[in-house]
Amino acid sequence: MKSPYENKIVACWNTITQQLLDKHPLMEDEIVEIVLEAWNSIMCTKIGGKLQIGVDVFPSPQIMGNYLHMLIPAILAERYPDIWRGEIDKSDKDVVYIPDSTYSIEIKTSSQNSIYGNRSYGQENSDNNSGKQKYGFYLAVNFEKFTSTNTHPRIKRIKFGWLDHSDWKAQAAATGQNSTLDKDAWNHKLKLLYKA
């Protein structure tokens, strides 16, 4: 698929991003509402009906991110049955828009100040990596992690927009497992919807 940003200078990217968001079936304020609802429901969760998250247990950022990956599509599917669903097979995005997969969403979460993909995000699709398309709509959620002085972490930032495969840069080392996001893409292709 041709990138909506192809042959466009960075100074034009914010406008293109807004045009893409205006066409997306989810409104910006609803995206924020759903992410915050998911986060708040995690913080109210008891494991085994006994251990309260944020009181008795303090999950790692990876676990908190996994919970968001499960809850965001679940909330959307509950609100809009037969329109939104979660990932079923490896070629699906994290959140699938059933009427038109162009609007499906990949979720990236991090307790740091950007988002990261695995090494395959910095490589062309092949039989050796994920069958997911590396371009399309992305929901980026940054949150605080549990620490000894922060037992009530918050969502720090929610960004939404379109990323292209070329926006991901794989680590140069053969043993590197991460892909980082290009700074211009982070700043201009993902619109800031919420900041704590």
Side-chain angles (χ1 to χ4, degrees):
M1 179 177 174
K2 181 181 176 183
S3 168
Y5 299 89
E6 188 173 338
N7 299 322
K8 302 290 194 251
I9 61 171
V10 174
C12 298
W13 287 6
N14 286 339
T15 301
I16 296 167
T17 298
Q18 189 59 58
Q19 290 168 348
L20 290 165
L21 298 191
D22 290 344
K23 292 178 185 174
H24 198 275
L26 285 176
M27 303 297 290
E28 295 174 20
D29 58 346
E30 186 171 26
I31 293 168
V32 172
E33 179 185 311
I34 288 167
V35 172
L36 295 178
E37 179 182 337
W39 185 259
N40 291 333
S41 67
I42 293 167
M43 300 306 286
C44 295
T45 297
K46 286 190 176 182
I47 299 170
K50 300 184 186 315
L51 302 175
Q52 176 76 47
I53 290 179
V55 175
D56 305 301
V57 291
F58 307 94
S60 70
Q62 291 81 6
I63 291 173
M64 295 300 283
N66 287 339
Y67 289 156
L68 286 173
H69 272 82
M70 291 184 281
L71 280 166
I72 290 168
I75 292 168
L76 273 166
E78 183 178 56
R79 288 186 183 197
Y80 305 106
D82 303 319
I83 296 176
W84 292 97
R85 68 169 172 80
E87 173 185 9
I88 293 175
D89 62 52
K90 71 176 188 173
S91 64
D92 284 340
K93 297 286 180 81
D94 296 318
V95 188
V96 176
Y97 184 63
I98 298 166
D100 182 350
S101 63
T102 304
Y103 297 105
S104 295
I105 303 165
E106 189 71 3
I107 301 171
K108 292 293 177 190
T109 64
S110 177
S111 62
Q112 298 181 33
N113 288 322
S114 187
I115 55 172
Y116 304 90
N118 63 33
R119 186 175 175 81
S120 71
Y121 276 76
Q123 302 168 337
E124 292 291 345
N125 279 348
S126 73
D127 294 335
N128 299 322
N129 63 43
S130 165
K132 291 184 182 186
Q133 296 170 332
K134 305 302 187 293
Y135 61 84
F137 286 95
Y138 279 77
L139 174 61
V141 183
N142 300 110
F143 54 83
E144 297 171 341
K145 60 184 173 182
F146 285 108
T147 66
S148 59
T149 57
N150 186 7
T151 57
H152 295 87
R154 303 170 301 159
I155 295 290
K156 293 192 296 187
R157 183 185 302 108
I158 301 169
K159 297 183 93 172
F160 187 61
W162 178 285
L163 295 176
D164 293 298
H165 161 71
S166 58
D167 295 322
W168 295 98
K169 309 300 177 199
Q171 284 181 293
T175 56
Q177 296 301 309
N178 290 333
S179 292
T180 56
L181 189 59
D182 175 78
K183 185 177 177 181
D184 285 334
W186 172 253
N187 289 327
H188 304 291
K189 288 187 174 185
L190 295 175
K191 181 181 179 181
L192 180 65
L193 305 186
Y194 172 89
K195 187 173 183 180

